[in-house]
Amino acid sequence: MVVGVVLGGGDRDLATEHLEELALLADTDGMEVVGSLMQARSRAEPATLLGRGKVAELAELAQKERVQWLLFDEELTPTQQKNLEKQAKVQVMDRTGLILDIFAMRARTKEAKTQVELAQLEYMLPRLTGLWTHFSRQKGGIGLRGGEGESQLEIDRRIVKTRIAALKRELAQISKQHDIRKQSHGGFFRVALVGYTNAGKSSLLNSLTRAGVLAENRLFATLDATTRLWALSEGRQALLTDTVGFIRKLPHQLVASFRSTLSEAAEADLLLHVVDLSHPAWPEQIDETRRVLTEIGAGDVPEIVVFNKVDRAEAQAALEGALADEPGALAVSAATGINLQALREVVEAQIAGPPREELLALDAARPEAVSLIYRRARVVSHEQVDGVVHMKVQGSPGELASLVATLRELGALLAERPA
Ligand SMILES: Nc1nc2c(ncn2[C@@H]2O[C@H](COP(=O)(O)OP(=O)(O)OP(=O)(O)O)[C@@H](O)[C@H]2O)c(=O)[nH]1
Ligand SMILES: [Mg+2]
């Protein structure tokens, strides 16, 4: 059963929409939603979020409907969660816990699995109390004899902390290997597909590059970044990367542990921000996506909004207003191919783009890098101070991006910033 709380005269329609999304998350996690309940309160009850009467009502409903989980859209403190479980006599999880569970279920690669486990343990650590027995049950061996006393708790905490440290080391190792792999992007212009979960990012990657990645009507179908070569006109190519989708209240533990996967967006030359225009909450989904992009350091990467699923009637109805709201946006359908050629052209124009200027600092002991710059961009100024060559260069965004990438690969670049 899904439960929502509207606090202090908040927007009820919005809360209903969030509750519907929570039900969709539950479905993705393999649960069957048997009912939903919404309560308006002036403020949260510190101990139980809801009032005593409402909790009793929930307990009764849960028993009648043989509910196994109460899912709260509101974030619960560890204490609230414990108290609710005790009083409603049924397991309680909040949106964060549910999202973590889905990620755990969907993780396939070693990296994704490590990232999810880290996020789960970070989430679990403050919730490890005598009453929170899921962990002891899961790991079997920990609770040796019944007593869930103070010392047992401390042992559990220590085990979790040790594991967290080990996972962090493992991830650091994996991300080092990533860095090596990333350097070999060969100076290609890099485009990343970003957006709310289920917007159609993987479908677009498939339609544009015949990638054959999994696309389905489930939340978080994609947990790993997939990169494919994207053939543009006149034999030119760019790299197109599919990324993990975002959602409202994406757990900060996940954002932190998925940093290396999410960095694909921060390091791209261009973001295609895919939006499901047939979804009633598309404006909020745009805001949420931009919020996460800022959080992961991708806020400054140029973005093209791509309204997807325009083959659907709901999207058609919203189209005119949406295009007026988001100047520069494009409406496409990954499913039917509408406007995909136009999307290609817009990206090509972006690669060619109006000329930009960059300031580059290079090691003066690398003259071959300096001459490379003269061959690949227009040099506006050039001076040398204390063994460092400072150059101001001009070129299209695509040219500059691939030039900078090449200089990095050569190990000759000391610093770089827009002029
Ligand atoms: N009608 C229609 N459906 C589409 C279109 N593009 C994608 N879909 C459907 O939308 C659902 C989600 O598509 P995905 O490509 O998996 O979405 P995603 O953004 O990769 O989602 P996550 O990986 O979960 O973040 C699938 O059922 C697709 O078939 C489209 O242009 N039109
Ligand atoms: Mg996907």
Side-chain angles (χ1 to χ4, degrees):
M1 186 173 297
V2 292
V3 187
V5 186
V6 188
L7 291 173
D11 186 339
R12 212 184 164 93
D13 289 345
L14 198 63
T16 306
E17 214 155 70
H18 294 165
L19 214 53
E20 274 165 21
E21 187 178 75
L22 187 70
L24 207 57
L25 280 167
D27 172 69
T28 300
D29 202 27
M31 297 177 178
E32 187 196 342
V33 179
V34 295
S36 72
L37 186 134
M38 175 98 79
Q39 197 200 9
R41 292 182 62 82
S42 54
R43 59 183 182 81
E45 190 65 42
T48 50
L49 180 66
L50 301 167
R52 186 181 290 274
K54 211 65 186 174
V55 177
E57 190 184 316
L58 264 179
E60 203 175 300
L61 260 175
Q63 183 153 33
K64 205 173 92 205
E65 301 279 348
R66 293 205 253 130
V67 165
Q68 286 173 303
W69 286 96
L70 286 180
L71 302 177
F72 282 76
D73 195 51
E74 206 65 26
E75 190 151 339
L76 299 172
T77 66
T79 319
Q80 286 171 342
Q81 178 170 4
K82 254 186 316 171
N83 290 337
L84 282 165
E85 284 194 339
K86 208 159 68 171
Q87 293 178 23
K89 297 184 191 63
V90 48
Q91 301 175 92
V92 168
M93 193 157 38
D94 62 9
R95 181 183 263 259
T96 307
L98 187 58
I99 294 174
L100 286 169
D101 211 46
I102 293 171
F103 269 67
M105 187 178 69
R106 303 228 140 194
R108 287 285 169 272
T109 62
K110 172 99 173 79
E111 177 173 27
K113 284 182 180 161
T114 312
Q115 289 170 324
V116 173
E117 191 186 347
L118 174 61
Q120 277 187 311
L121 290 179
E122 301 262 20
Y123 176 73
M124 197 188 275
L125 192 58
R127 287 169 173 77
L128 273 182
T129 67
L131 281 166
W132 177 276
T133 51
H134 306 53
F135 182 68
S136 340
R137 246 187 279 137
Q138 227 174 51
K139 300 278 170 182
I142 299 179
L144 281 178
R145 67 188 64 200
E148 297 257 307
E150 190 60 31
S151 59
Q152 185 60 58
L153 186 60
E154 266 158 26
I155 294 170
D156 283 1
R157 279 207 185 114
R158 186 150 44 77
I159 292 173
V160 172
K161 280 186 184 155
T162 312
R163 182 80 188 130
I164 285 177
L167 288 171
K168 281 188 174 160
R169 277 197 302 274
E170 239 170 84
L171 279 178
Q173 195 58 38
I174 295 175
S175 98
K176 220 189 273 166
Q177 292 164 3
H178 256 276
D179 289 347
I180 296 166
R181 239 187 301 146
K182 268 187 199 140
Q183 281 175 10
S184 62
H185 62 71
F188 282 110
F189 191 82
R190 286 174 298 172
V191 183
L193 292 156
V194 298
Y196 210 77
T197 181
N198 216 39
K201 302 175 290 300
S202 301
S203 304
L204 261 178
L205 182 76
N206 287 339
S207 305
L208 294 170
T209 71
R210 301 191 176 79
V213 299
L214 173 76
E216 56 173 349
N217 196 16
R218 280 272 160 112
L219 305 182
F220 302 117
T222 307
L223 288 195
D224 297 288
T226 304
T227 302
R228 289 286 181 275
L229 267 177
W230 183 12
L232 303 169
S233 62
E234 291 164 21
R236 272 178 302 180
Q237 292 173 312
L239 290 181
L240 188 60
T241 300
D242 183 19
T243 64
V244 56
F246 303 151
I247 197 164
R248 194 178 66 88
K249 291 194 191 158
L250 190 65
H252 60 89
Q253 298 94 338
L254 273 180
V255 176
S257 71
F258 269 77
R259 198 152 286 277
S260 126
T261 303
L262 292 169
S263 70
E264 296 283 347
E267 287 161 18
D269 300 306
L270 174 68
L271 300 178
L272 294 183
H273 179 167
V274 185
V275 179
D276 176 357
L277 192 60
S278 69
H279 196 289
W282 66 265
E284 195 198 356
Q285 299 188 343
I286 288 187
D287 293 345
E288 191 56 41
T289 300
R290 289 196 173 132
R291 202 191 56 68
V292 182
L293 285 173
T294 307
E295 190 178 339
I296 61 172
D300 293 332
V301 183
E303 170 204 77
I304 296 175
V305 172
V306 180
F307 288 121
N308 189 29
K309 310 197 189 181
V310 291
D311 55 289
R312 304 184 65 174
E314 298 92 327
Q316 278 301 324
L319 190 57
E320 211 176 314
L323 288 173
D325 271 7
E326 291 291 339
L330 211 71
V332 307
S333 165
T336 67
I338 300 172
N339 267 343
L340 293 188
Q341 185 51 35
L343 177 60
R344 241 184 224 110
E345 283 162 15
V346 170
V347 170
E348 280 175 19
Q350 185 77 24
I351 295 177
R356 274 199 328 215
E357 290 188 343
E358 300 270 309
L359 291 169
L360 307 176
L362 300 127
D363 188 347
R366 305 291 300 272
E368 80 283 9
V370 174
S371 64
L372 180 99
I373 293 173
Y374 273 96
R375 275 183 281 130
R376 298 202 18 188
R378 205 175 78 77
V379 178
V380 181
S381 67
H382 177 169
E383 56 185 326
Q384 184 169 334
V385 186
D386 298 334
V388 179
V389 176
H390 297 273
M391 296 174 92
K392 188 196 262 189
V393 298
Q394 200 184 54
S396 76
E399 283 167 348
L400 290 180
S402 72
L403 174 62
V404 165
T406 309
L407 291 171
R408 269 214 194 97
E409 259 171 72
L410 292 173
L413 191 64
L414 301 175
E416 162 246 340
R417 65 180 171 83

